Amino acid sequence: MLEGMKNTLVATDYPNLYKSKESEIFYARIDRGRKTVKKSLKTRVLTEALSRLAGFLAEQGRDELPVESVSWYLAVDMYVQRQEMRPNLKPAAVESIKFFAGRAKKLVVRDMAAEAITEQICRVWWKKDALSVSARTANGTLAIVKNVFSMLQDAGCLKNNPAAKLERMTLRSGKLHVPGKEDFRRIIEEVKKAPILRKWQKKGLYSEAADMISFLAYSGLRIEEARRLVWGDIGKESISVPDIKHATSRRTLYINASLAEVIESLRRERRGNSPDDPVFAIENPRKALTNACIRLGLPHVRIHDLRHFFATSCIEAGIDIPTVAKWLGHRDGGALAMKVYGHLRDEHSKEAAKKLVF
């Protein structure tokens, strides 16, 4: 607001929410006896203002929500805003909440009143979501869904939590299912020769699915990291990876020979290769990967298993675990990678010992 400009706040239909008559920017305001606490919400959009108001109220020690009836998308945004106001919450935890909250919105196909969401809707969503991602991702999303409904219950917006009966997925045992290199080659060939629907023929989505599967397997990137890649991130020898776990940082991944071939294939197929253009035109090659495994009669391979394929291949090639962990984007010096892949390192060491001659 420019100095000297009037800023007349007008009350809205929502408690504690005001709007500037001059700029139309929303403000939050709480009267505490003789003291008034006021804060600009920096938006002219009502739904954004309401979600930010929820965070402001939480910051002021007020648990109530600014609305009695709320849509699901707005409820999720309000939950995120309230979490961001928690003291001592690490940036990584905030980014994790935002990631799972984004997935939680997909509980419904289109936004709808939160009180209209039934147990049946939740069951159908959970069955579909739990089968499409890793158990950890599914469980993280479910936790947000339940927490949002609990928040609405505490605020008196809901009587019951429709997701309360949904049970977390059981995390898989330490033994990983990773396709062998020959099976992986067969999967890629199967994806390439899959029947192409006429409406997709010009876009070449099946061909790009094969390239995206190969890219994930040869880079170890998370699917969300691959989605965010633009051509400006890819250099001659390395990739600047937009790390989804730590929003303000990136990591460097050096390009191996197999990954270089995939990148070259993508450059040939894609017409737009300017620095700001996304590397991939598709969101997820999951269906192509699943269908290829079914046709070949192979065990189901998840998108996240491609990351395990990369790590396993690195360790079998003799690369030390701290280096593999760094490439994967772990910040614990290799502790998690050692826990997940340590047995592979031990097997490799055992085979290497057999070759030792004095």
Side-chain angles (χ1 to χ4, degrees), residues 72-84 92-108 111 125 129 136-148 151 228:
W72 176 246
Y73 289 0
L74 181 55
V76 175
D77 289 339
M78 286 181 175
Y79 175 80
V80 172
Q81 289 290 329
R82 293 180 68 166
Q83 298 309 302
E84 288 183 310
V94 173
E95 289 305 310
S96 179
I97 289 170
K98 288 181 177 179
F99 170 72
F100 290 123
R103 299 194 72 259
K105 285 187 176 181
K106 297 179 182 179
L107 170 66
V108 292
D111 198 11
W125 162 79
D129 194 73
R136 293 184 186 277
T137 299
N139 289 341
T141 306
L142 179 61
I144 297 294
V145 168
K146 288 186 174 183
N147 288 344
V148 173
M151 176 190 73
R228 296 186 187 184

Side-chain angles (χ1 to χ4, degrees), residues 54-285:
F56 172 79
L57 293 173
E59 186 180 39
Q60 298 300 317
R62 304 273 288 270
D63 293 331
E64 71 267 24
L65 293 181
V67 289
E68 293 181 0
S69 179
V70 60
S71 76
W72 176 246
Y73 289 0
L74 181 55
V76 175
D77 289 339
M78 286 181 175
Y79 175 80
V80 172
Q81 289 290 329
R82 293 180 68 166
Q83 298 309 302
E84 288 183 310
M85 295 298 177
R86 289 170 54 189
N88 304 321
L89 192 63
K90 295 182 179 179
V94 173
E95 289 305 310
S96 179
I97 289 170
K98 288 181 177 179
F99 170 72
F100 290 123
R103 299 194 72 259
K105 285 187 176 181
K106 297 179 182 179
L107 170 66
V108 292
V109 178
R110 288 180 293 275
D111 198 11
M112 62 186 293
E115 62 262 34
I117 298 176
T118 63
E119 289 188 9
Q120 177 63 17
I121 291 175
C122 292
R123 282 196 298 269
V124 171
W125 162 79
W126 180 235
K127 183 177 181 181
K128 180 180 178 182
D129 194 73
L131 292 175
S132 64
V133 294
S134 70
R136 293 184 186 277
T137 299
N139 289 341
T141 306
L142 179 61
I144 297 294
V145 168
K146 288 186 174 183
N147 288 344
V148 173
F149 281 127
S150 294
M151 176 190 73
L152 295 175
Q153 273 187 290
D154 294 341
C157 299
L158 294 179
K159 291 183 178 180
N160 301 304
N161 186 333
K165 295 181 180 179
L166 299 180
E167 296 183 359
R168 289 165 51 89
M169 287 186 66
T170 302
L171 296 178
R172 300 197 305 175
S173 63
K175 186 176 181 180
L176 300 173
H177 167 64
V178 180
K181 293 181 179 179
E182 178 59 27
D183 283 343
F184 180 73
R185 185 194 64 78
R186 292 175 61 202
I187 289 171
I188 294 299
E189 291 302 317
E190 187 65 27
V191 172
K192 287 181 178 178
K193 69 182 183 182
I196 300 176
L197 296 178
R198 188 171 299 173
K199 66 178 181 179
W200 287 352
Q201 199 160 10
K202 292 183 179 179
K203 297 181 181 179
L205 292 186
Y206 272 93
S207 174
E208 184 156 355
D211 281 340
M212 193 173 191
I213 292 169
S214 298
F215 187 96
L216 293 170
Y218 298 148
S219 69
L221 264 64
R222 303 175 178 92
I223 182 67
E224 186 61 27
E225 292 170 342
R227 286 194 192 110
R228 296 186 187 184
L229 277 182
V230 295
W231 282 108
D233 294 328
I234 299 182
K236 291 184 178 180
E237 297 182 346
S238 63
I239 299 174
S240 177
V241 182
D243 198 330
I244 64 170
K245 296 289 186 179
H246 309 276
T248 59
S249 65
R250 286 172 171 260
R251 70 178 187 274
T252 299
L253 176 69
Y254 293 99
I255 299 172
N256 56 64
S258 297
L259 183 57
E261 291 181 7
V262 178
I263 292 172
E264 183 58 32
S265 173
L266 286 164
R267 288 192 186 278
R268 287 195 307 267
E269 294 295 328
R270 298 294 306 280
R271 294 294 179 264
N273 292 336
S274 65
D276 294 331
D277 287 333
V279 174
F280 296 102
I282 59 175
E283 286 290 308
N284 197 319

